[in-house]
């Protein structure tokens, strides 16, 4: 089993570049990996850019028995898949389609090449599904694996060069998410960090496996972002991906838009009920998972009620659906914020819900 230290930079690149840029000969890639920088054509005239990092121990645990690892941890493919999803979701949430990615990869010299090849495969495969290719990157040494992707994209035609922002929510809008189920990533994280092997959880084994799988490699309808933008145009008032928890990310939308977003729809209760058996077995609150789960990456949107059916139809054509989770209200005396039924309506603290790297 060769390690990065045995191969050296040139040897590593010789192994991972064919994986990363196997499909890089798209029309847009004028210069791919191999030169000082890549050259990308941007036919629409503007480029959407985002970046996101995953650090071993902070954002994922490697699968294994060694200290700092977990038998429930991630494979290389899963890490690469999640790295793609995190970045592609931010492109999607602007109403854009991804075109290209660059990968900055730092790791200890003792890292097996097979793990890095797996990460490359996961990243390239999920990106390819979204129509994007890896066009470059960087290698470095580090005490733990650190992965930073920068993703580029272009706005969908028909929006007149307009991106879907966080600040367009209007009083009276419906708030919805592009998934039937939120909360699985938090459930999976609880299982991972608690060391709960699904095989030992009896009746809830299947649910636990699904939550762990979703946490390690979220399967998310990212196309919803640009499909909704293209179909609804100006009726898609605001959009964000749920990366730090529904309540927290709805709060960001509310804040940017100067409104209150109240989360109270039946859809949320249905999501919580689906997770209740698993939550009960861990002594946790399924509603807190639904409202607080980060790393979900589903699209959270605000749109006028008159556009809801059209939005549903767009997603249903692709076998997906939209779940209504709340509505947009005037900011009121307490100012712009997101509230959830029973959580922080009377100003009670809902801040424990959701993710912040430094809290
Ligand atoms: N270190 C930084 N330097 C410059 N801008 C930053 C930095 N960190 C965050 N930002 C910017 O702050 C804004 C808000 O970041 P935030 O993390 O809330 O959104 P996000 O990128 O959608 O998050 P997520 O990755 O969780 O989806 C983004 O526009 C982001 O580009
Ligand atoms: C080992 C381990 N510990 C904790 C977590 C949880 N976690 C990390 S980042 C994040 C939110 C999104 O971050 P960002 O805003 O950077 O996209 C969450 C919920 C994890 N995945 N793995
Ligand atoms: Mg985001």
């Amino acid at each position: 089993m060769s390690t990065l230290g045995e191969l050296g930079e040139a040897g590593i690149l010789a192994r991972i570049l064919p994986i990363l840029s196997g499909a890089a000969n798209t029309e847009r890639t004028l210069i791919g990996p191999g030169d000082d920088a890549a050259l990308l054509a941007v036919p629409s005239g503007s480029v959407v850019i985002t970046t996101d990092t995953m650090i071993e121990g902070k954002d994922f645990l490697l699968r294994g028995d060694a200290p700092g690892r977990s038998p429930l941890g991630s494979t290389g493919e899963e890490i690469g898949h999640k790295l793609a999803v995190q970045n592609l979701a931010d492109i999607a949430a602007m109403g854009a389609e991804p075109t290209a990615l660059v990968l900055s990869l730092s790791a200890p010299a003792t890292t097996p090449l097979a793990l890095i090849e797996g990460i490359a495969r996961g990243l390239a495969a999920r990106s390819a599904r979204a129509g994007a290719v890896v066009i470059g990157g960087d290698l470095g040494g580090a005490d733990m694996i650190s992965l930073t992707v920068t993703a580029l994209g272009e706005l969908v035609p028909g929006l007149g060069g307009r991106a879907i922002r966080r600040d367009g929510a209007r009083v009276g809008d419906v708030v919805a998410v592009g998934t039937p189920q939120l909360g699985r990533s938090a459930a999976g994280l609880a299982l991972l960090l608690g060391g709960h092997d699904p095989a030992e959880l009896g009746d809830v084994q299947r649910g636990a496996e699904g939550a762990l799988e979703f946490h390690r490699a979220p399967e998310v309808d990212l196309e919803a972002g640009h499909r909704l933008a293209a179909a609804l145009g100006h009726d898609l008032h605001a959009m964000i991906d749920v990366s730090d928890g529904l309540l927290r990310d709805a709060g960001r939308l509310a804040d940017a838009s100067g409104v209150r977003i109240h989360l109270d729809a039946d859809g949320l209760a249905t999501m919580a009920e689906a997770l209740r058996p698993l939550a009960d077995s861990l002594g946790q609150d399924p509603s807190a998972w639904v409202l607080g789960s980060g790393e979900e990456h589903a699209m959270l949107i605000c749109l006028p009620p008159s556009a809801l059916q059209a939005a549903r139809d767009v997603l249903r054509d692709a076998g997906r659906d939209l779940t209504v989770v709340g509505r947009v209200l005037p900011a009121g005396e307490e100012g712009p914020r997101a509230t959830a039924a029973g959580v922080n309506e009377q100003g009670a603290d809902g801040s424990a819900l959701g993710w912040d790297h430094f809290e």
Side-chain angles (χ1 to χ4, degrees):
M1 181 175 66
S2 31
T3 63
L4 301 191
E6 287 159 17
L7 284 156
E9 280 190 42
I12 301 164
L13 286 178
R15 296 294 290 266
I16 65 168
L17 282 185
I19 301 173
L20 286 172
S21 56
N25 282 329
T26 63
E27 291 160 20
R28 285 198 172 85
T29 311
L30 305 177
I31 301 176
D35 217 307
D36 294 303
L39 186 63
L40 185 72
V42 185
S44 73
S46 60
V47 59
V48 180
I49 308 177
T50 182
T51 191
D52 224 313
T53 297
M54 286 176 67
I55 305 275
E56 178 186 352
K58 297 284 183 191
D59 297 294
F60 62 89
L61 298 182
L62 290 172
R63 185 167 300 179
D65 296 315
R69 300 190 178 203
S70 163
L72 306 174
S74 305
T75 63
E77 270 89 350
E78 289 170 334
I79 295 164
H81 173 105
K82 189 164 175 174
L83 185 63
V85 168
Q86 278 192 356
N87 279 277
L88 299 175
D90 280 322
I91 297 286
M94 299 302 283
E97 288 187 84
T99 53
L101 301 86
V102 290
L103 166 67
S104 179
L105 188 161
S106 302
T110 51
T111 309
L113 174 70
L115 176 62
I116 300 303
E117 286 179 322
I119 292 173
R121 271 197 299 275
L123 176 68
R126 184 61 186 88
S127 301
R129 272 169 57 196
V133 292
V134 180
I135 57 169
D138 183 40
L139 291 177
D143 292 338
M144 78 280 286
I145 296 176
S146 165
L147 305 159
T148 297
V149 160
T150 298
L152 309 168
E154 285 186 74
L155 297 171
V156 293
L159 288 176
R162 196 179 65 99
I164 311 296
R165 303 167 53 138
R166 298 177 178 187
D167 61 4
R170 295 187 206 159
V171 173
D173 278 354
V174 172
V175 183
V177 286
T179 177
Q181 184 68 59
L182 290 170
R184 283 173 296 169
S185 191
L189 182 63
L191 292 161
L192 174 70
L193 298 183
H196 302 288
D197 185 344
E200 290 161 14
L201 289 178
D203 287 351
V204 297
Q205 177 177 350
R206 293 248 330 261
E209 284 165 354
L212 269 168
E213 273 164 31
F214 185 88
H215 174 74
R216 293 190 298 239
E219 197 49 66
V220 188
D221 179 18
L222 298 178
E223 288 188 1
H226 71 80
R227 288 173 70 95
L228 289 167
L232 301 185
H234 294 283
D235 272 345
L236 187 55
H237 288 166
M239 181 156 61
I240 189 172
D241 74 302
V242 179
S243 57
D244 295 329
L246 176 64
L247 187 59
R248 207 170 269 248
D249 288 317
R252 292 184 173 137
L253 275 184
D255 203 33
S257 303
V259 297
R260 173 183 172 198
I261 289 179
H262 186 58
L263 304 169
D264 69 347
D266 293 345
L268 288 178
T270 308
M271 290 180 186
E273 283 320 302
L275 293 173
R276 187 171 296 283
L278 180 56
D280 283 348
S281 77
L282 300 183
Q284 298 214 18
D285 174 6
S287 300
W289 282 348
V290 170
L291 290 172
S293 182
E295 303 178 292
E296 292 283 331
H297 299 300
M299 297 298 120
L300 171 62
I301 63 172
C302 297
L303 73 178
S306 57
L308 183 59
Q309 194 55 49
R312 287 212 133 116
D313 292 345
V314 170
L315 298 193
R316 278 191 187 143
D317 282 351
R320 311 285 187 161
D321 203 0
L322 212 53
T323 309
V324 171
V325 293
R327 62 218 144 92
V328 179
L329 306 173
E333 279 175 15
E334 288 185 54
R337 69 206 197 284
T339 53
V343 178
N344 54 351
E345 279 172 288
Q346 273 77 45
D349 191 10
S351 65
L353 293 171
W355 184 260
D356 183 305
H357 282 293
F358 305 107
E359 272 177 8

